[in-house]
């Protein structure tokens, strides 16, 4: 998340809107966002419906995955694992859409 925070200007310059989603509770998400001073919202998917819908829900947590979704709702890039932690692939995907 800190990588997306640190590159937030590049993402917004590419007309991207960043949203973080986690299986954590709203209270946990709020504390986490505040501790990192995130300039974008974190959403709680406590029941896992969103993670399930996107195919990233495991038994106890969702796998770290970034989805780049265009203005029409089409997924244009999926960035998983270690690459999802490093924001460079996400920034590049947002700039190329």
């Amino acid at each position: 998340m800190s990588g997306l925070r640190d590159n937030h200007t590049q993402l917004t310059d590419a007309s991207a809107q960043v949203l973080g989603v986690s299986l954590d509770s709203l209270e946990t998400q709020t504390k986490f966002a505040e501790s990192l001073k995130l300039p974008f919202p974190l959403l709680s998917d406590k029941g896992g419906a969103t993670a399930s819908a996107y195919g990233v829900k495991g038994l106890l947590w969702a796998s770290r995955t970034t989805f780049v979704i265009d203005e029409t709702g089409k997924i244009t890039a999926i960035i998983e694992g270690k690459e999802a932690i490093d924001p460079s692939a996400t920034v590049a995907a947002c700039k190329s859409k």
Side-chain angles (χ1 to χ4, degrees):
M1 287 295 162
S2 59
L4 293 173
R5 176 201 61 208
D6 296 345
N7 289 275
H8 192 252
T9 300
Q10 290 183 56
L11 293 163
T12 56
D13 287 350
S15 298
Q17 178 182 8
V18 178
L19 302 171
V21 182
S22 169
L23 299 177
D24 292 325
S25 69
L26 181 58
E27 180 182 11
T28 299
Q29 289 289 70
T30 300
K31 288 178 184 177
F32 184 67
E34 289 171 353
S35 74
L36 291 178
K37 297 182 178 18
L38 297 179
F40 51 85
L42 296 184
L43 310 173
S44 173
D45 183 26
K46 185 84 171 132
T50 301
S52 292
Y54 280 85
V56 297
K57 187 171 187 267
L59 293 176
L60 299 175
W61 58 83
S63 62
R64 187 175 302 271
T65 308
T66 298
F67 294 91
V68 178
I69 303 170
D70 72 10
E71 297 85 5
T72 68
K74 179 183 174 192
I75 296 173
T76 59
I78 300 173
I79 305 151
E80 300 177 275
K82 289 185 263 182
E83 284 74 35
I85 296 170
D86 176 357
S88 59
T90 301
V91 171
C94 289
K95 287 183 176 182
S96 69
K97 63 176 190 81

